[in-house]
Amino acid sequence: MNERTGEGTMLGLCVRPPCTRATFRRCLHHEVLLWLLLKLLALLCAVALLCELAIYYAVLMGCDWPPLKAAGDQGGHRAPHPAVLKALFLADTHLLGALRGHWLDKLRREWQMERAFQTALWFFQPDVVFILGDLFDEGKWSSPEDFKDDVQRFQTMFRHSSNTELFVVVGNHDIGFHYEMDLYKLQRFEVIFNFTSAKVVTKKGVNFVLVNSIALQGDGCSICEKVENDLRKLSFALNCSRELDPNHPNENCKDKETFPASAPILLQHYPLYRVSDAECTGEDSASPEEKKLLFREKYDTLSLEASRKLLWWFRPRLILSGHTHSACTVLHDGHLVEISVPSFNWRNRNNPSFLLGSITATDFTLAKCFLPRESTVAAIYLTAAVVAINLVLFQLHFWQWIMHYLINKHKAI
């Protein structure tokens, strides 16, 4: 027996004394704490996985491409159309720049938009995506270096495969309102995004007219004058294509660019002129307070004159716009449908959405897909936090102590 250590030896092996009660309690306490930490870690991982990944799939599973009635269908039976173009429309992403907004807000909202967009691409695999302006929140102020950084983030968030094409329309936050717009900011945007202020995109026989609505001010500024002239030329070419009769050609249409003989879909940032959002309905329309506000021409909407010009020039079958951050469906001239697409950014609304369009040269059907509500995600995190706190308190016997305290207090009374 070793007198110093109290340990004995048998056949050359060290024999330790049995574990005392205090040592056993310490070991048991450490084991309980380890299990508690593992439970908390598992809860955190499960909640983060749900709120940051799974919830987007769960919500978008309830959305699908709207069906088109195929030619020759009888009895209203809907069937897939062989020449359908699948188009996804969203608006007002408002990526923050270097000047405004908290870094956490930028990180959080950009992650939400990236996950929502990438999940939508994975689910729906559209042929084409259109973003209806205000890609950036600070494009009108950004230095060349800051703008380059914003563009890189945008391209990362809205990356897509070669099977999907992406087109954008310029917004007032990208180049400024009319009084802030200049040729440098406009050309910077046009070069990077292959955008022109009057452009026709044709896919599967469907014509889309992309318009720089910031320049439709009608005041004769050099940019505005050029945009209006380009739009007139495009409208003439489109109308010639729609009315061209090979047996009786229009002499004025010779040497004009030809397009499919299909009424175009007009895409722009500003909505056409309307008095307010008072008649707009739906859960993603403006709030009751906002609906009371009258719109200002050339600021909230295009002017009445510019709106009439666009309708007269292009005779579109559908108009899609952004800018207001809220949904609205308007009928112009009693039959031309305009849809304002809500903001895609949770900073601008609690329930962002986008449109899915099944479109042919002669027909179209649209469906709205909502994203997870930010308040729902916050509620899940809050619930998980309450569960975690109660788990810790229960493990520390806090509630038992409270019960004993109340019972003893009652007995004392």
Side-chain angles (χ1 to χ4, degrees), residues 126-395:
D127 299 315
V128 62
V129 174
F130 292 100
I131 302 181
L132 306 179
D134 278 1
L135 282 61
F136 309 108
D137 195 65
E138 305 171 24
K140 56 186 178 181
W141 302 313
S142 296
S143 66
E145 295 77 17
D146 291 337
F147 190 75
K148 182 179 179 181
D149 178 67
D150 295 343
V151 168
Q152 289 176 344
R153 289 179 10 246
F154 176 87
Q155 292 173 341
T156 298
M157 292 166 56
F158 294 94
R159 63 191 180 276
H160 51 89
S161 70
S162 58
N163 296 325
T164 298
E165 293 187 86
L166 188 145
F167 297 93
V168 303
V169 174
V170 71
N172 57 288
H173 276 266
D174 300 317
I175 60 173
F177 285 100
H178 175 254
Y179 62 88
E180 300 169 305
M181 175 181 62
D182 58 42
L183 194 58
Y184 166 73
K185 286 184 281 191
L186 178 59
Q187 289 180 340
R188 177 174 71 175
F189 187 92
E190 289 181 339
V191 168
I192 290 176
F193 293 104
N194 190 27
F195 171 79
T196 57
S197 295
K199 179 177 182 176
V200 174
V201 172
T202 301
K203 299 294 174 185
K204 293 187 178 181
V206 180
N207 296 317
F208 298 92
V209 178
L210 280 60
V211 178
N212 176 4
S213 52
I214 315 303
L216 296 180
Q217 298 293 311
D219 62 354
C221 75
S222 58
I223 295 177
C224 301
E225 189 173 354
K226 181 181 183 304
V227 170
E228 289 206 16
N229 288 335
D230 291 344
L231 286 171
R232 284 194 197 96
K233 293 176 184 177
L234 271 182
S235 70
F236 190 72
L238 280 166
N239 290 329
C240 282
S241 299
R242 292 166 66 179
E243 299 171 358
L244 191 60
D245 184 350
N247 300 320
H248 302 87
N250 186 334
E251 292 295 324
N252 295 325
C253 291
K254 287 184 177 180
D255 302 323
K256 295 293 181 183
E257 185 178 2
T258 57
F259 299 97
S262 172
I265 295 174
L266 196 60
L267 305 179
Q268 58 194 39
H269 182 63
Y270 279 152
L272 297 184
Y273 175 77
R274 61 178 183 258
V275 175
S276 69
D277 270 356
E279 302 301 321
C280 304
T281 58
E283 59 181 295
D284 54 350
S285 62
S287 66
E289 293 75 21
E290 291 173 320
K291 289 181 180 180
K292 297 176 183 177
L293 302 176
L294 299 180
F295 282 155
R296 294 160 290 179
E297 291 185 69
K298 304 180 182 181
Y299 189 85
D300 298 310
T301 68
L302 284 177
S303 67
L304 180 59
E305 179 186 2
S307 302
R308 286 173 174 171
K309 283 182 179 179
L310 287 175
L311 294 179
W312 173 256
W313 287 340
F314 293 103
R315 291 180 284 171
R317 53 179 166 146
L318 174 66
I319 305 105
L320 296 175
S321 58
H323 188 56
T324 65
H325 297 176
S326 300
C328 190
T329 300
V330 182
L331 283 181
H332 297 283
D333 297 334
H335 67 284
L336 292 176
V337 178
E338 178 185 6
I339 298 176
S340 291
V341 181
S343 174
F344 195 70
N345 192 322
W346 278 261
R347 189 185 311 111
N348 297 326
R349 59 180 314 104
N350 183 42
N351 57 341
S353 62
F354 59 89
L355 294 182
L356 294 178
S358 300
I359 309 171
T360 68
T362 57
D363 196 9
F364 68 86
T365 308
L366 301 175
K368 181 174 292 184
C369 298
F370 284 94
L371 303 181
R373 290 177 177 267
E374 192 172 46
S375 58
T376 300
V377 175
I380 294 173
Y381 274 122
L382 182 60
T383 302
V386 171
V387 171
I389 292 172
N390 277 278
L391 185 64
V392 172
L393 295 178
F394 179 81
Q395 199 67 55

